């Protein structure tokens, strides 16, 4: 009845958890126990840690409830108890901090910086001795080379003069690498899987078209990740599918006992949001944690009971978390920004990188003598430019933009940014009045650039949407999407309602309608480019002059050709391709003068091809070994 009574109760009596509603999930009950633990070393530190455990609870496989109630009323009945618990935690924390003045000694983590040059580090792993480190990095651009770090010599030794991407190191000291690696996204490359002795010697190629791989504990065989038939598959042994995704799979890692493989499931292609999961060798899968903005890097504890992974609520704001095989999540290590775990040695030390990322939006305005940086926050990506070159539509995906990103608009004279709404921008209508945007996983919204209200398109029947573009007049849109475990196809969606109408068979990655609305340019899952009529999408003809590595920028005003750039080329080129004759013409060279440029993409062009905008990602890594983390 008084404050002193409350304080006395907190200090002397245990909470009566049996008074919680009978339908309180067991995980929420355990969460409250962690919140109310008197020992500050065991109690959750803040609401951020509570959120992680709640997210894990949401993703857990549902257990039989003791009472059947509607989901809304069940949440409503539990919510007051959670709020009350948070209030008690606050009061208890005040009491403990005012009555216990002695600081709690926590085991410090020792960080030792091992690399010092500005470069992008894709993968770093311990050698079997538990001290030497092998890593792949791109000194410039996005082509990785292999390096070795020894404790007795601080300068990295270049292992091979040919490009190689490191994937895994076996217990016998054999490397799994990719030869001729071609960067795809984040820390992933695509190439030919090869085996290579750590002590020296040329790689022996064994399998083409592989993304990633992981040695089994015996060092005799590899689990692999590769694309096939429009999906990305996790296989072990090669040919046996343990899991597949219409998005992609990354970071496979064998458990020390060889019974499980931990990995990330990413529902959307090359978007690193997703889930951390494990699968056994029979294909039995379990999702352990979900709900993060992005996820990079997986490693097992030495005892095989814990999986460490890097994730966060922002692209450059990763921390390391630990999750048990039962799904219990805790924070394991934090830093001021992008901390990515790569490996754990047999002695318990960690390898991590501190990654600094920024996506710069460079704009060449009409009549301007040079490009200008018109970025909004740290991750600005131009999507479309108005026909007169006066306005750029872009997506902002930095920390403050939220997990669904922001659709933004900026005039090329440098005027302040206008935020139109949440989502990732995909297109601007020909008249400049409507912006099309997607919200993960399957919502499409049209935002007005002036006065008016947003309009949501009916796309609920499409499980996962990868892209969307306006038809002329902005009354219809071409939407590319499909199921979570099947290849995508093209749909025609009316803004005014009605079910989407499939225009093509599965196996289409992107579709761009011509300015007159009669044709569309398609890229198939085999990366070939084709032309098809809007009303005859299954009948296709090859697009002359187009290459598998071309990135579409826009249709030319004459309707005969398109503007393209080259995927992952640094510096990059804008070229005009006549899709009837196949001729190609250079338009502009894109070469931002800044260190650590990993890629140049998202190129938007005005009717006057001398006005354009593009995004350049800078990715600079520093490698550390960590002692004392657990």
């Amino acid at each position: 009845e008084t404050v002193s009574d409350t304080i006395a109760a907190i200090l002397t009596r245990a909470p009566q958890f049996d008074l919680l509603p009978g339908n309180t999930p067991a995980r929420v009950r355990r969460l409250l126990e962690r919140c109310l633990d008197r020992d500050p070393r065991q109690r959750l530190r803040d609401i951020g840690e509570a959120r992680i455990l709640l997210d894990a609870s949401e993703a857990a496989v549902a257990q039989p409830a003791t009472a059947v109630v509607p989901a809304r009323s069940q949440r409503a009945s539990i919510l007051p108890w959670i709020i009350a618990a948070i209030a008690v935690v606050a009061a208890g924390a005040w009491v403990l901090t005012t009555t216990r003045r002695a600081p709690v000694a926590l085991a410090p983590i020792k960080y030792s910086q091992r690399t010092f040059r500005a470069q992008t580090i894709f993968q770093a792993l311990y050698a079997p001795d538990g001290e030497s480190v092998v890593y792949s990095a791109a000194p410039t651009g996005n082509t990785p080379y292999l390096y070795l770090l020894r404790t007795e010599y601080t300068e990295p030794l270049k292992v091979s003069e040919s490009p190689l991407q490191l994937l895994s190191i076996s217990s016998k000291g054999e490397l799994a690498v990719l030869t001729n690696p071609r960067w795809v996204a984040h820390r992933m490359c695509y190439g030919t899987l090869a085996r290579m002795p750590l002590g020296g010697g040329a790689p022996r190629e064994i399998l083409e078209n592989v993304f990633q791989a992981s040695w089994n504990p015996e060092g005799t065989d590899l689990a692999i990740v590769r694309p096939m038939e429009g999906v990305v598959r996790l296989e072990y042994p090669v040919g046996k599918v343990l899991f597949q995704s219409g998005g992609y799979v990354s970071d496979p890692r064998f458990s020390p006992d060889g019974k499980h493989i931990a990995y990330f499931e990413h529902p959307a292609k090359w978007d690193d949001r997703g889930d951390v999961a494990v699968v056994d060798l029979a294909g039995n899968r379990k999702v352990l944690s979900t709900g993060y903005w992005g996820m990079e890097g997986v490693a097992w504890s030495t005892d095989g009971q814990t999986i460490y992974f890097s994730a966060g609520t922002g692209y450059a704001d990763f921390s390391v978390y630990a999750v048990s095989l039962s799904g219990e999540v805790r924070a394991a290590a934090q830093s001021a920004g992008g901390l990515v775990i790569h490996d754990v040695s047999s002695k318990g030390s960690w390898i991590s990188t501190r990654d600094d990322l920024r996506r710069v939006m460079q704009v060449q305005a009409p009549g301007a003598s040079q490009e200008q940086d018109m970025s909004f926050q740290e991750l600005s990506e131009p999507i479309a430019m108005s026909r007169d070159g006066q306005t750029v539509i872009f997506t902002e995906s930095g920390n403050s933009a939220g997990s669904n990103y922001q659709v933004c608009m900026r005039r090329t004279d440098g005027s302040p940014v206008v935020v139109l709404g949440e989502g990732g921008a995909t297109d601007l209508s020909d008249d400049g009045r409507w912006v099309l945007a997607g919200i993960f996983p399957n919502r499409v919204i049209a935002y007005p650039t002036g006065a008016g209200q947003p309009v949501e398109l009916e796309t609920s029947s499409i499980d996962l949407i990868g892209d969307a573009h306006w038809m002329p007049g902005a009354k219809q849109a071409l939407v590319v999407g499909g199921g979570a475990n099947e290849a995508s196809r093209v749909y025609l969606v009316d803004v005014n309602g009605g079910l989407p109408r499939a225009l093509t068979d599965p196996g289409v990655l992107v579709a761009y309608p011509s300015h007159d609305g009669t044709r569309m340019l398609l890229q198939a899952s085999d990366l070939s480019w084709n032309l098809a009529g809007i009303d005859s999408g299954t009948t296709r003809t090859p697009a002359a002059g187009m290459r598998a590595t071309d990135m579409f920028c826009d249709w030319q005003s004459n309707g005969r050709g398109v503007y393209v750039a080259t995927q992952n080329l640094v510096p990059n080129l804008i070229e005009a391709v006549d899709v009837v004759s196949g001729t190609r013409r250079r338009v502009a060279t894109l070469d931002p003068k800044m260190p650590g440029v990993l890629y140049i993409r998202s190129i938007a062009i005005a009717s006057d091809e001398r006005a354009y905008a593009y995004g350049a990602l800078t990715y600079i890594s520093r490698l550390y070994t960590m002692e004392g983390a657990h």
Side-chain angles (χ1 to χ4, degrees):
E1 295 182 357
T2 67
V3 173
S4 59
D5 290 338
T6 302
I7 293 173
I10 291 171
L11 293 175
T12 61
R13 295 207 301 270
Q16 293 179 273
F17 290 104
D18 57 345
L19 296 181
L20 287 170
N23 58 0
T24 303
R27 288 176 178 269
V28 174
R29 187 183 299 267
R30 287 195 295 272
L31 169 66
L32 296 177
E33 292 171 354
R34 290 286 305 280
C35 287
L36 297 173
D37 199 304
R38 290 197 184 91
D39 186 346
R41 293 169 297 180
Q42 302 297 321
R43 188 172 61 244
L44 298 188
R45 291 178 296 176
D46 52 44
I47 196 63
E49 290 190 354
R51 178 192 171 189
I52 292 171
L53 295 186
L54 282 170
D55 287 345
S57 173
E58 291 283 347
V61 177
Q63 298 180 358
T66 57
V68 178
V69 296
R72 184 177 299 273
S73 61
Q74 180 177 343
R75 278 180 170 271
S77 65
I78 296 173
L79 184 60
W81 290 93
I82 297 178
I83 293 173
I86 293 172
V88 174
V89 169
W94 177 83
V95 171
L96 290 171
T97 55
T98 54
T99 56
R100 299 184 182 183
R101 295 294 182 180
V104 178
L106 298 177
I109 298 176
K110 179 183 177 182
Y111 291 81
S112 299
Q113 187 171 343
R114 302 294 301 278
T115 64
F116 300 89
R117 68 178 301 175
Q119 61 185 338
T120 303
I121 296 176
F122 296 119
Q123 185 66 270
L125 298 169
Y126 279 108
D129 64 7
E131 295 183 355
S132 302
V133 175
V134 182
Y135 70 93
S136 53
T140 61
N142 52 36
T143 301
Y145 293 83
L146 216 56
Y147 297 87
L148 174 65
L149 276 171
R150 295 187 180 277
T151 54
E152 68 273 15
Y153 187 63
T154 58
E155 177 72 14
L157 301 174
K158 199 171 186 179
V159 174
S160 171
E161 292 302 317
S162 300
L164 293 173
Q165 164 73 334
L166 178 64
L167 300 180
S168 185
I169 303 179
S170 77
S171 56
K172 300 176 181 179
E174 188 174 13
L175 308 182
V177 298
L178 293 181
T179 61
N180 301 312
R182 299 174 304 280
W183 180 80
V184 176
H186 306 293
R187 298 161 42 251
M188 289 180 59
C189 290
Y190 179 69
T192 299
L193 179 64
R195 300 169 64 157
M196 178 180 175
L198 177 59
R204 178 170 64 86
E205 296 181 341
I206 56 177
L207 186 64
E208 294 182 340
N209 303 330
V210 172
F211 285 142
Q212 294 186 321
S214 177
W215 285 106
N216 63 14
E218 297 77 24
T220 57
D221 208 352
L222 287 157
I224 67 165
V225 174
R226 63 172 168 173
M228 188 166 288
E229 299 176 352
V231 297
V232 176
R233 309 192 329 187
L234 172 62
E235 302 177 11
Y236 182 79
V238 174
K240 179 183 178 182
V241 179
L242 299 181
F243 177 78
Q244 67 181 27
S245 170
Y248 72 105
V249 177
S250 74
D251 297 86
R253 290 290 177 265
F254 256 106
S255 61
D257 62 8
K259 294 181 179 179
H260 294 90
I261 300 173
Y263 64 98
F264 289 141
E265 299 176 6
H266 307 282
K269 195 77 76 179
W270 316 138
D271 186 328
D272 63 352
R273 285 179 290 190
D275 307 331
V276 59
V278 292
V279 63
D280 64 21
L281 305 191
N284 300 307
R285 158 184 164 267
K286 182 179 182 181
V287 173
L288 299 179
S289 188
T290 187
Y292 303 94
W293 193 99
M295 311 179 81
E296 298 284 339
V298 171
W300 286 85
S301 62
T302 54
D303 62 7
Q305 299 302 305
T306 301
I307 299 165
Y308 301 109
F309 63 97
S310 298
T313 57
Y315 198 83
D317 192 24
F318 283 13
S319 298
V320 180
Y321 299 97
V323 61
S324 67
L325 293 178
S326 63
E328 297 294 329
V329 184
R330 62 177 172 84
Q334 295 176 311
S335 76
L339 183 65
V340 173
I341 188 169
H342 289 253
D343 198 15
V344 175
S345 78
S346 57
K347 302 176 181 180
S349 61
W350 293 9
I351 304 174
S352 67
T353 53
R354 169 68 166 81
D355 299 328
D356 294 315
L357 296 93
R358 183 169 183 255
R359 188 179 294 127
V360 180
M361 184 170 71
Q362 295 289 106
V363 177
Q364 180 74 36
S369 59
Q370 62 183 9
E371 298 173 358
Q372 297 292 326
D373 181 350
M374 292 192 182
S375 308
F376 181 30
Q377 298 168 8
E378 73 266 36
L379 293 172
S380 302
E381 185 167 13
I383 301 299
M385 181 175 264
S386 60
R387 308 313 300 163
D388 61 7
Q390 300 298 318
T391 302
V392 176
I393 301 299
F394 66 98
T395 298
E396 179 58 53
S397 50
N399 291 341
S400 60
S403 59
N404 285 331
Y405 314 154
Q406 288 177 333
V407 181
C408 301
M409 177 174 68
R410 181 169 227 161
R411 292 187 61 79
T412 55
D413 62 5
S415 300
V417 170
V418 177
V419 177
L420 300 178
E422 66 175 346
T426 63
D427 200 10
L428 175 66
S429 61
D430 285 343
D431 61 7
R433 297 179 60 187
W434 291 93
V435 176
L436 207 57
I439 297 178
F440 182 83
N442 65 346
R443 296 175 62 198
V444 177
I445 296 177
Y447 290 108
T449 57
Q453 295 298 315
V455 177
E456 182 161 356
L457 281 63
E458 176 48 63
T459 56
S460 59
S461 60
I462 306 173
D463 292 339
L464 189 66
I465 292 175
D467 205 5
H469 292 277
W470 284 119
M471 290 286 287
K475 300 298 183 184
Q476 295 176 310
L478 292 186
V479 175
V480 179
N485 296 307
E486 67 179 10
S488 56
R489 67 175 79 199
V490 183
Y491 294 87
L492 184 66
V493 181
D494 288 321
V495 173
N496 294 326
L499 293 176
R501 177 165 64 93
L503 299 183
T504 69
D505 295 329
V508 176
L509 299 178
V510 289
Y512 304 101
S514 59
H515 290 310
D516 62 7
T518 61
R519 297 180 298 165
M520 53 184 170
L521 180 67
L522 310 174
Q523 187 172 35
S525 55
D526 64 0
L527 303 184
S528 64
W529 289 95
N530 301 277
L531 293 169
I534 295 295
D535 294 324
S536 56
T538 56
T539 302
R540 308 177 193 175
T541 58
M546 295 290 289
R547 303 165 182 164
T549 55
D550 282 338
M551 292 187 299
F552 177 88
C553 302
D554 201 351
W555 280 88
Q556 293 178 251
S557 299
N558 61 18
R560 284 180 55 92
V562 296
Y563 295 108
V564 301
T566 302
Q567 288 182 11
N568 306 332
L569 184 65
V570 180
N572 214 322
L573 302 174
I574 300 177
E575 296 180 282
V577 181
D578 188 315
V579 293
V580 178
S581 67
T583 59
R584 298 175 72 101
R585 171 177 58 88
R586 179 178 296 200
V587 174
T589 298
L590 309 179
D591 186 14
K593 302 299 184 182
M594 57 189 75
V597 176
L598 183 61
Y599 66 67
I600 295 170
R601 71 178 189 193
S602 299
I603 301 163
I605 303 177
S607 295
D608 180 351
E609 61 189 30
R610 292 171 295 181
Y612 56 81
Y614 66 91
L617 181 78
T618 61
Y619 189 131
I620 297 176
S621 307
R622 299 287 190 274
L623 189 144
Y624 294 83
T625 53
M626 299 167 56
E627 306 290 341
H630 61 86

